[in-house]
Amino acid sequence: MPEVKYGQLESWEDGDVSSPNNFMQLVEGENPIRIITNPYQFIVHWFNDVTGTKRKIRCAVDDCPLCRKGDRPQCRWFIGVIDRKSNIPKILEISSQIYTGIKRYASNPKWGDVKNYDINIYRGPKNSQPLYSVTVEPKEPLSDSDKETKKSFLEKVDINKFTQPSTPEEILEKIGAPSMDSPKVRYAVGSKVVENSGGSMKQIAKPTVEDDDYDFDAEEEL
């Protein structure tokens, strides 16, 4: 994995004008990978921003404004992978459909640890069902180059930081609601608009979490 420079540069030649992206995007067709980490679970809400675009935001879990409004959060997962098309290590975000497909092999004694063989995630055409399917290749040890790639990636990338819950204040700011106690705050949750007429609200219990099969890119997270 190439070193990413930040802070003051020694010269103008050191600047990187490309748009580095550690996240892998699943394209239509085959997406061969080698998983190099355990899954990292996080919880999200989907909502429509002011332009009507569907976005996701990490649930606050404790005292979450969206949970208090009845929007049920959903599980997502990050995994560290080697993208076999480029042999570059990346972070891949997966939904429950892909997670379940991978887990099926991990739970099968014949296959076991999914880090011991390559996996192919096939993405079908838009709106196809199922959108994703998972198949595996025969078991094969990592090459010396793969081992070095994995070691370098794990030393430089902290996937866990991408899974941390948002604060209630961050959620209110990002959905455009200044305060849950403000009169007549309106904002979009999923496909509906909800309104708060003011007054104190308290969350009684942890949110109930659902799985999801939405197909959105990691960059869309707010």
Side-chain angles (χ1 to χ4, degrees):
M1 180 179 180
E3 181 180 358
V4 177
K5 295 183 179 180
Y6 59 92
Q8 180 173 289
L9 302 177
E10 293 183 3
S11 76
W12 288 91
E13 301 300 323
D14 291 335
D16 182 2
V17 295
S18 64
S19 299
N21 185 2
N22 288 330
F23 288 91
M24 178 178 178
Q25 306 302 319
L26 296 175
V27 298
E28 188 172 320
E30 296 186 346
N31 296 271
I33 60 171
R34 183 62 166 254
I35 297 176
I36 56 176
T37 71
N38 286 338
Y40 291 75
Q41 183 168 283
F42 60 107
I43 314 298
V44 302
H45 290 276
W46 298 99
F47 72 98
N48 295 328
D49 66 14
V50 293
T51 67
T53 302
K54 199 159 195 174
R55 304 284 187 181
K56 69 175 179 290
I57 187 170
R58 289 190 296 272
C59 177
V61 181
D62 292 315
D63 199 29
C64 176
L66 293 176
C67 289
R68 291 193 294 172
K69 281 300 184 182
D71 188 61
R72 305 185 79 174
Q74 300 164 332
C75 284
R76 301 285 284 192
W77 297 267
F78 285 129
I79 50 176
V81 303
I82 298 176
D83 180 354
R84 283 307 192 197
K85 290 182 178 179
S86 62
N87 277 327
I88 294 175
K90 298 179 181 179
I91 300 171
L92 176 62
E93 180 183 338
I94 60 176
S95 69
S96 60
Q97 192 173 87
I98 300 173
Y99 184 94
T100 301
I102 295 174
K103 181 181 177 182
R104 183 173 66 248
Y105 289 100
S107 302
N108 187 331
K110 177 182 177 181
W111 293 102
D113 189 349
V114 295
K115 295 190 288 293
N116 290 332
Y117 43 88
D118 284 4
I119 288 177
N120 184 48
I121 300 173
Y122 181 83
R123 174 174 172 168
K126 188 175 182 179
N127 298 323
S128 61
Q129 288 297 329
L131 182 61
Y132 298 103
S133 60
V134 177
T135 58
V136 299
E137 299 294 330
K139 292 183 181 180
E140 184 177 358
L142 290 175
S143 66
D144 289 342
S145 176
D146 286 339
K147 290 178 181 178
E148 182 58 35
T149 295
K150 175 181 176 179
K151 180 175 181 292
S152 176
F153 178 80
L154 296 180
E155 286 175 349
K156 296 178 180 179
V157 178
D158 179 13
I159 299 178
N160 194 57
K161 72 179 182 180
F162 297 109
T163 69
Q164 300 308 299
S166 300
T167 66
E169 292 75 21
E170 287 172 337
I171 291 178
L172 291 172
E173 179 181 356
K174 290 171 181 176
I175 65 176
S179 171
M180 293 300 292
D181 293 327
S182 298
K184 295 186 178 180
V185 172
R186 295 173 59 86
Y187 58 95
V189 175
S191 60
K192 61 183 179 182
V193 174
V194 296
E195 179 175 303
N196 172 30
S197 296
S200 178
M201 301 180 65
K202 294 183 180 298
Q203 180 172 305
I204 298 175
K206 297 282 187 181
T208 301
V209 178
E210 295 181 338
D211 289 339
D212 76 289
D213 291 315
Y214 286 122
D215 175 43
F216 294 94
D217 294 335
E219 291 88 353
E220 292 181 342
E221 182 167 328
L222 296 178

